[in-house]
Amino acid sequence: MDVLMRYFTETNRTKIARFFFDLALLVELVEMIAEKSELVFSMESHIFRITFLLTFAAVLLKKHNLKEWAIILAVWVFTFICYRITGRNELLRFATFAMAACDIDLERAMKYTFYVCMAGFTVIVLLAVFGILGNVSMVADYGRDNAQELRYVFGFGHPNTLYGCAYALILLWIWIYGKKAGLWQFIALFAVNVVLYYVTVSRTSLAIGMFTLLMAVIVRFAEPIRKWWITYVMAGLITPIACVVFSWWAASVSELPRFHMDTKRELRINKLDVILNNRIQDLYRGSARHAGSLETWKLFSDRLSEEYFDMGWVRLFYWYGIIPTVLICLLIAMMLYVCYKKRDMQTVVVLVSMSVYTVIEATFVSVYIGRNFMLPVLGVYMWQLVRGQLKATQQPQ
């Protein structure tokens, strides 16, 4: 026992916990990359259990005071209750993963995520180009009344998936390098975004990509706005408030498009739905249960609510329920507060961009931890808030 205690010191426990987290992160990223490809893999649930146990052990191995243990237990109890009610374990897994990240080297973890994803996505593209796995392009009806529309996928199965992966890399780059990037680097990213548009023909994604890069340029070169509290308040008005309000409205009118066009209001709704490629009406007419429409929202979801649709914020309310999603919104608000205390505008840019993107796409509302690369940031920032360790980040030179 003495020998065991001699080697099982707090320092060694921390090292073991960080190793467990790093291993879980790698496994989740590899699984996410495989899911993005045309590779068929049927053991996802077993992988989820392994990574959950790794991060669960990492949380237990780390030193926490009584206040922190109370928070950890409260989070576990709530997310376990959500799991028992809905049958979905994502909130439990995601929360445990974020808590396991509480004292990691965040910049190292984000760079690791960036380069692993870049390498994995490159492999998917090369496999498609050389005819080994997946298609380079696809001709299909993408909801634009053109059954023979040609769009490129480069092994990702769908053009929106291709853009979503590139978009995630852009956001990671902004978080990691955006504080010190030169103007020419941002110009290159603008050019990449335009090329992606011509490849994927995703108009809405192009607009969000340009909006994101414009925000990144502004916060990089207009440094005084980092100190303005109004900047962070405006970000909060966008996310979660405006994103949630729009999603609630879309769910409430989802029965109208294409079938109700008698008034000016209904015509405007129909026009907006056409711009969004029928995403609004799909909430009501995409399934027999009208999955996603406002009538299907509950305080806590149920085990029958498993349908997939594009609008990510609506999916949050539908999959998990109103109460869990409201708590997620509060977490985002707390993140923005931490960003204000740290003068961290790069994280604000990423949060706002992801939230706006999630209004129309559900890339980040998924069972895959690897898709939501902001979970380590959430874990580190929330524990810094709990421990009173908030410090302003160093300004770019």
Side-chain angles (χ1 to χ4, degrees), residues 218-233:
I218 292 173
V219 303
R220 166 63 180 93
F221 295 103
E223 294 181 18
I225 69 173
R226 295 173 181 270
K227 302 177 182 179
W228 299 348
W229 62 269
I230 191 64
T231 306
Y232 302 88
V233 172

Side-chain angles (χ1 to χ4, degrees), residues 226-284:
R226 295 173 181 270
K227 302 177 182 179
W228 299 348
W229 62 269
I230 191 64
T231 306
Y232 302 88
V233 172
M234 291 174 61
L237 292 176
I238 297 173
T239 177
I241 296 174
C243 293
V244 169
V245 169
F246 179 85
S247 299
W248 171 85
W249 173 83
S252 69
V253 302
S254 57
E255 185 182 0
L256 300 180
R258 294 291 180 97
F259 291 88
H260 300 272
M261 294 185 287
D262 300 323
T263 66
K264 290 183 179 180
R265 172 177 176 267
E266 291 171 350
L267 288 172
R268 286 195 296 267
I269 292 172
N270 186 74
K271 185 176 181 180
L272 177 61
D273 188 48
V274 171
I275 294 173
L276 296 179
N277 285 347
N278 304 322
R279 283 177 169 86
I280 295 177
Q281 69 164 304
D282 281 347
L283 298 177
Y284 187 85

